[in-house]
Amino acid sequence: MNLTSNQSNNTLNIMNTIFRDFIHVFSTCSLVLVVSLIGTQNLLANNGNDLWLSNHLSKQVTVIGSLKTPMLQLAAKELKNGWQGRDGATVLFTIKKDKSIKLDGFRLDSNRIQSNSELGILYGVYDLLRRQQTSQPIGSIVSNPSYELRILNHWDNSDGSVERGYAGRSIFWRGGGTQLSVTEGDRLLWQKYARANASIGINGSVLNNVNANPQALSIEFLQRTCAIAKELRPYGIKVYLSINFSSPAELGKLKSSDPLNPEVINWWKSKVKEVYQLIPDFGGFLVKANSEGLPGPQDFGRTHADGANMLADALKPYGGIVMWRAFVYSPSDKDRAKQAYNEFVPLDGMFRDNVIIQVKNGPIDFQPREPFSPLFGALKKTSIMPEFQITQEYLGHSLQLVFLAPLWEECLQSDTHQEGDGSTVAKCTDGSLFSQKHTAIAGVANIGLDADWCGNAFAQSNWYAFGRLAWDNNLKSEQIALEWLQQTFTPDQAITKKITPKNWQDAFLTPVCQMMLQSRETAVNYSMPLGLHHIFAGNHHYGPGPWYAPRGLRKDWTPPYYHQADSLGIGFDRTSKGSNAVSQYHEPLNAMFENVESCPENLLLWFHHVPWTYRMKSGNSLWDELCTKYNSGVNSVRGFQKTWDQVQPYVDKDRFLDIQHMLRRHTRDAQIWKDGCILYFQQFSNMPIPLEVERPIYDLDVLMKMEMLYP
Ligand code: GCU
């Protein structure tokens, strides 16, 4: 079902009003009142459209101080609408320079929000409300963002489709020509999107696919971009566009797009001028160049730096930036994992200060587990930003429950050792270790026109988690999950007659949070344990296909290239005897990854080709361990089904049934992963499946024919 924001759910609003005081009561633990309130109602539909921002009737609050601008008035309105603190309280907004407040950060206590900027006040309001709703302490807090730019990347095409999107069509583009008029429904939808982003600190949106069409810079496209920017601006969100490097030739009809050609340079200058005339606060360009068949400066014998700098020079007078992606690889390279490092490290220090190199968390491509990209910390004189994938391209689309904060936390907290111990990816990218003119982080969005925006309720948690980690790259996954659950499944949407704060905590929050925290490792276990990667059956990137190798297809697009299974063992040898990708990591990681004994077992087959009989730390042979991991992955998802069924009394019917249904399919597909991979690899290991492991229920030949395409 598709629903745009203007189709509001009146029933929900009315029912929310009935429970207006529940949240406050909940936080002050007035159990008796809670029980009687809840006991009178039991039907609340919830299609998830309100995300983590459900309406709650507020207590009385007066806002004083600076309220001069529309953004401050918006901040005051939000505070009044959501206030759950002391009834009759007064809150003071102050815009005042303070050395301890950075960027759009803020200082806050229960009756004052101070910031250097209006946007900081708005963020302070959302933070205060979040704290009230999740019963977190509100002492004297200073909160500064880890990154200056916190950006969603939408892989949306102008025809309205979304690359790797699993939640319906684009919220920005509709097809049929982007010149189609902007409707009131569009505007309301974009406002709602902007508000959700601002509530978690996101301040930028790239509106179109990195596989950009040159038409993205056409006047029709720019006009719609301008209309989107207008709705996002009040919430402090700048718009950016992905551009195609051949735009001068394709759109401008020039003979070339060579970045050193004066005509090309001028074309970009006048195009940028046109953009800023329409959108004075335009953020800049995102560029995928010389990657997966897209054009780029190398087509003209130039470097990434030549290409990026030419664009940066055009954007500089207006304060715009270039986010230049390091996701590059070609079929010629022997180890795809090494290519980005090889291409970008020699260019360190050669980029303009308004260029940021955007680097995926791992060296291959958003796999369920990868080591961090060795570019983090290796680029020392160039701004660099992490790119995470919120949409679950390789982690079950919107059909599987996978909470991604643990994956991102693992990456951010990985120690690169580049500047001594403790040089985490977080510190290598947020300006703590290297002086970067700009700091930034990007997440590939999972948002579409579906009523719940993301395809299922739990997929929303990944949007939320990205924003929260972009604001504070030291947050723990558990805190994020708990916060999100408390705001998303607030008890006023529960249907039980017997809910109390204590049993909500024990019977709902704790087990569901546990399930979320386990879900990423679970996905690794039933799909690609022990460092296996990229073994999907084709381009849909959903189901297993370790056997998938159609004749004529580029080797690096086939799973056997990655798993290298043979009668001796399995895994990609990236040691000095193999591709030597280990050499791209700083000591002591280089030595640690090089040695099979010291290599972390969760990355073993990423770095080593290991004999089937190799003894693992558990005492199991590698083969037995692999089977055991697949088995535990499936068992965990079965556990999620039980956990979810147990929390039925605490969840509204719609979302309960939706997730119950999803988990059924999730389990079935996890089983297919397990059976497909175990039976396929067994042909090489020639070893029996350990008896403790559940027997396969599918036949390999059936699975090999089954495409498991996204339905
Ligand atoms: C992956 C994904 C593509 C995407 C690419 C990118 O390869 O499958 O759809 O275009 O990443 O990040 O550019």
Side-chain angles (χ1 to χ4, degrees):
M1 173 177 59
N2 283 354
L3 185 81
T4 46
S5 62
N6 53 335
Q7 296 168 272
S8 68
N9 187 329
N10 288 335
T11 317
L12 176 61
N13 291 339
I14 293 162
M15 299 313 277
N16 277 337
T17 307
I18 291 169
F19 289 111
R20 53 201 267 175
D21 285 333
F22 182 82
I23 292 300
H24 177 69
V25 172
F26 174 76
S27 60
T28 52
C29 295
S30 302
L31 305 191
V32 178
L33 179 56
V34 171
V35 172
S36 60
L37 261 175
I38 295 290
T40 57
Q41 304 295 333
N42 71 354
L43 291 185
L44 290 171
N46 191 325
N47 63 9
N49 191 251
D50 288 334
L51 297 158
W52 48 89
L53 292 165
S54 317
N55 288 331
H56 306 289
L57 202 76
S58 51
K59 300 267 169 197
Q60 175 66 34
V61 64
T62 308
V63 181
I64 55 170
S66 180
L67 287 176
K68 284 185 219 101
T69 67
M71 188 176 274
L72 290 168
Q73 282 156 17
L74 173 71
K77 190 173 126 212
E78 288 286 31
L79 194 75
K80 286 182 180 164
N81 285 345
W83 182 256
Q84 286 152 45
R86 190 174 56 79
D87 203 8
T90 300
V91 175
L92 171 67
F93 287 178
T94 319
I95 299 203
K96 197 169 109 200
K97 291 266 175 264
D98 178 329
K99 274 204 217 106
S100 61
I101 303 175
K102 310 261 181 317
L103 301 164
D104 293 315
F106 51 85
R107 177 190 291 282
L108 124 96
D109 57 42
S110 50
N111 51 23
R112 193 169 69 118
I113 301 174
Q114 183 192 335
S115 177
N116 299 331
S117 68
E118 295 171 24
L119 186 54
I121 300 281
L122 182 63
Y123 289 150
V125 165
Y126 287 124
D127 192 70
L128 183 54
L129 295 179
R130 175 169 42 244
R131 286 170 189 277
Q132 288 178 345
Q133 200 179 341
T134 58
S135 310
Q136 290 181 50
I138 309 170
S140 182
I141 292 153
V142 175
S143 179
N144 291 316
S146 299
Y147 298 95
E148 173 199 349
L149 306 169
R150 305 168 296 278
I151 302 180
L152 285 184
N153 288 185
H154 289 266
W155 286 0
D156 294 15
N157 299 310
S158 59
D159 68 0
S161 61
V162 180
E163 179 149 347
R164 310 303 178 186
Y166 314 107
R169 293 176 66 78
S170 169
I171 61 168
F172 298 122
W173 314 103
R174 236 185 288 142
T178 50
Q179 67 278 22
L180 278 179
S181 60
V182 172
T183 66
E184 187 56 14
D186 287 335
R187 275 191 279 272
L188 291 170
L189 180 66
W190 299 336
Q191 285 164 18
K192 200 160 185 179
Y193 159 86
R195 176 174 180 243
N197 279 329
S199 77
I200 49 175
I202 288 170
N203 65 359
S205 300
V206 182
L207 303 179
N208 63 322
N209 193 353
V210 283
N211 295 316
N213 190 311
Q215 293 303 321
L217 291 173
S218 65
I219 185 64
E220 293 85 359
F221 208 93
L222 291 179
Q223 270 162 354
R224 197 166 167 93
T225 302
C226 173
I228 298 168
K230 187 165 169 237
E231 305 309 324
L232 272 47
R233 190 171 293 121
Y235 290 90
I237 297 167
K238 285 189 177 183
V239 301
Y240 300 74
L241 288 173
S242 299
I243 57 104
N244 182 297
F245 203 76
S246 282
S247 301
E250 305 261 339
L251 187 67
K253 304 294 172 214
L254 301 190
K255 288 204 186 68
S256 156
S257 295
D258 180 348
L260 301 192
N261 175 324
E263 265 191 274
V264 171
I265 295 172
N266 281 335
W267 187 88
W268 280 110
K269 278 193 180 150
S270 64
K271 185 47 88 176
V272 166
K273 187 170 172 198
E274 185 187 339
V275 173
Y276 278 91
Q277 270 162 359
L278 276 171
I279 312 163
D281 56 353
F282 181 72
F285 294 145
L286 172 63
V287 194
K288 173 174 174 177
N290 291 121
S291 167
E292 299 192 321
L294 284 181
Q298 292 173 345
D299 304 347
F300 310 93
R302 316 297 184 194
T303 66
H304 290 294
D306 294 330
N309 290 344
M310 181 268 298
L311 294 172
D313 290 343
L315 288 158
K316 182 86 178 177
Y318 309 93
I321 60 155
V322 175
M323 294 168 285
W324 190 271
R325 293 176 91 226
F327 178 67
V328 293
Y329 66 99
S330 61
S332 57
D333 202 70
K334 288 206 186 64
D335 182 359
R336 168 177 167 181
K338 289 173 66 182
Q339 194 162 334
Y341 183 101
N342 288 345
E343 286 195 27
F344 281 87
V345 168
L347 300 175
D348 192 19
M350 293 167 73
F351 292 92
R352 301 280 191 270
D353 67 4
N354 58 334
V355 174
I356 315 183
I357 304 301
Q358 181 165 314
V359 179
K360 289 189 180 182
N361 54 282
I364 298 275
D365 192 6
F366 299 136
Q367 297 301 295
R369 170 164 281 119
E370 301 191 35
F372 66 87
S373 163
L375 277 170
F376 293 118
L379 291 185
K380 297 179 194 300
K381 292 177 269 170
T382 304
S383 300
I384 179 168
M385 62 191 281
E387 176 179 334
F388 294 150
Q389 195 179 42
I390 308 169
T391 192
Q392 292 166 242
E393 175 180 357
Y394 296 102
L395 286 120
H397 300 188
S398 293
L399 299 172
Q400 299 180 10
L401 192 161
V402 187
F403 178 53
L404 296 171
L407 190 166
W408 302 330
E409 188 186 341
E410 181 176 294
C411 172
L412 289 166
Q413 297 309 326
S414 292
D415 194 347
T416 69
H417 295 276
Q418 286 280 355
E419 299 289 304
D421 293 353
S423 309
T424 58
V425 170
K427 288 191 181 150
C428 290
T429 53
D430 68 6
S432 330
L433 285 178
F434 305 108
S435 62
Q436 302 196 178
K437 169 91 175 166
H438 296 285
T439 61
I441 186 165
V444 180
N446 62 349
I447 296 162
L449 275 179
D450 277 7
D452 62 14
W453 301 85
C454 301
N456 72 71
F458 280 89
Q460 298 174 353
S461 67
N462 292 326
W463 176 7
Y464 182 86
F466 170 75
R468 297 290 288 130
L469 277 170
W471 184 271
D472 180 352
N473 60 11
N474 279 312
L475 273 186
K476 299 276 164 283
S477 301
E478 182 175 8
Q479 179 182 334
I480 298 171
L482 279 173
E483 271 182 10
W484 175 78
L485 280 169
Q486 282 171 286
Q487 295 168 89
T488 304
F489 290 98
T490 45
D492 57 357
Q493 288 147 9
I495 59 169
T496 182
K497 296 197 167 156
K498 292 201 183 104
I499 232 179
T500 67
K502 169 113 178 69
N503 66 26
W504 194 55
Q505 168 79 44
D506 293 349
F508 178 79
L509 274 186
T510 304
V512 178
C513 179
Q514 248 346 81
M515 170 172 81
M516 290 174 73
L517 294 177
Q518 280 171 18
S519 59
R520 182 278 185 129
E521 200 62 37
T522 293
V524 168
N525 286 340
Y526 62 70
S527 64
M528 282 162 271
L530 301 176
L532 285 174
H533 49 288
H534 228 314
I535 56 173
F536 298 89
N539 192 37
H540 53 70
H541 297 164
Y542 184 74
W547 51 81
Y548 180 80
R551 199 170 309 142
L553 191 63
R554 274 169 62 163
K555 290 267 176 299
D556 59 339
W557 284 350
T558 70
Y561 170 95
Y562 297 99
H563 64 66
Q564 308 262 325
D566 57 25
S567 61
L568 300 177
I570 180 171
F572 199 125
D573 185 357
R574 294 193 164 103
T575 67
S576 56
K577 295 194 193 68
S579 78
N580 205 19
V582 291
S583 66
Q584 296 183 338
Y585 289 91
H586 199 279
E587 290 295 6
L589 296 179
N590 178 351
M592 185 175 92
F593 293 149
E594 165 83 9
N595 183 338
V596 70
E597 295 296 325
S598 56
C599 182
E601 287 192 342
N602 61 12
L603 290 172
L604 191 64
L605 306 180
W606 184 282
F607 286 114
H608 294 268
H609 189 73
V610 183
W612 296 109
T613 51
Y614 175 78
R615 222 20 76 205
M616 302 289 289
K617 296 197 174 66
S618 63
N620 284 338
S621 66
L622 170 66
W623 167 249
D624 283 5
E625 187 85 348
L626 195 65
C627 294
T628 307
K629 289 280 181 199
Y630 275 112
N631 200 45
S632 80
V634 176
N635 286 342
S636 268
V637 194
R638 288 198 168 286
F640 296 170
Q641 286 187 286
K642 285 189 195 151
T643 299
W644 191 248
D645 282 356
Q646 280 159 11
V647 302
Q648 179 169 14
Y650 304 94
V651 185
D652 53 282
K653 194 169 164 213
D654 292 354
R655 289 186 297 180
F656 176 76
L657 289 176
D658 191 46
I659 298 298
Q660 186 187 50
H661 180 77
M662 179 178 88
L663 286 172
R664 201 169 292 154
R665 173 161 188 175
H666 189 167
T667 304
R668 197 175 70 220
D669 292 348
Q671 176 85 41
I672 288 173
W673 266 101
K674 165 184 167 260
D675 289 1
C677 292
I678 289 185
L679 290 172
Y680 173 76
F681 291 133
Q682 192 179 31
Q683 301 177 121
F684 299 95
S685 78
N686 270 313
M687 292 165 79
I689 298 171
L691 285 173
E692 319 75 74
V693 168
E694 296 292 343
R695 310 291 92 187
I697 59 172
Y698 292 101
D699 292 327
L700 182 60
D701 55 343
V702 175
L703 293 181
M704 285 176 70
K705 280 189 226 123
M706 183 173 159
E707 267 283 299
M708 273 182 75
L709 284 166
Y710 184 68

